[in-house]
Amino acid sequence: MHINDAVFLEDLCPKFRLRQWRKSIHRFTGKSCIYCGKPSESIDHVLPRSQGGLSTTENCVPACLSCNGDKSDKNALYWYRRQKFYDPRRAMAIRAWLDGDLRLAIRLLQWANPNFKERNRNYKEEESNYKAA
Ligand SMILES: [Zn+2]
């Protein structure tokens, strides 16, 4: 009975589910742009929706408005390679993210950004909470 209620609630509130999902995406990177490391203000479709990209976690990365707007409908990795802030570790992280290996992506981002660890502490706590549950 409770399970049916939950399904019903989700159907009733797709916006709520979408918001939770968006939040979780930003949390993975400690709310920083996967491309340049600035605060992430938006979600970027790596493969643009206009090219059939889906709104799945594997295809959606946290990005600042500047990167998101500049990249536009270009191929993400091709575009990223031409940026001044290009970092091969971030490029690997993006690739891992696209493969659905978020754990590896996050580790690579931590490596690329020394400040990341501090901001990402909550993620680790959450992870251990999951294990405890
Ligand atoms: Zn950016």
Side-chain angles (χ1 to χ4, degrees):
M1 208 53 183
H2 284 296
I3 290 164
N4 287 340
D5 286 350
V7 170
F8 179 67
L9 245 180
E10 286 214 328
D11 287 341
L12 201 66
C13 313
K15 273 187 182 163
F16 174 76
R17 197 168 37 165
L18 187 67
R19 202 166 52 202
Q20 292 299 109
W21 171 73
R22 283 177 164 268
K23 260 192 198 165
S24 71
I25 297 248
H26 286 290
R27 215 180 290 138
F28 282 132
T29 63
K31 292 185 180 142
S32 69
C33 173
I34 199 166
Y35 301 113
C36 72
K38 285 185 194 142
S40 60
E41 301 144 318
S42 62
I43 290 196
D44 178 45
H45 284 72
V46 177
L47 180 67
R49 270 177 291 192
S50 62
Q51 293 168 32
L54 298 175
S55 293
T56 56
T57 302
E58 289 82 4
N59 191 44
C60 292
V61 295
C64 68
L65 287 177
S66 159
C67 285
N68 200 343
D70 190 48
K71 182 200 147 251
S72 180
D73 277 5
K74 298 181 194 86
N75 175 288
L77 289 166
Y78 177 77
W79 166 84
Y80 182 55
R81 226 174 295 148
R82 301 162 67 110
Q83 304 309 307
K84 270 184 285 183
F85 48 78
Y86 174 80
D87 183 321
R89 293 167 297 192
R90 284 185 180 277
M92 282 163 70
I94 294 163
R95 216 164 276 152
W97 188 295
L98 300 184
D99 285 344
D101 195 345
L102 293 185
R103 196 173 284 262
L104 175 63
I106 288 161
R107 207 169 296 156
L108 287 161
L109 288 171
Q110 284 175 334
W111 185 27
N113 181 1
N115 300 323
F116 188 90
K117 240 178 215 163
E118 195 62 35
R119 273 187 287 165
N120 198 38
R121 199 183 280 157
N122 288 335
Y123 167 74
K124 280 193 182 141
E125 275 168 19
E126 271 170 38
E127 198 180 33
S128 55
N129 285 344
Y130 279 126
K131 273 178 199 152

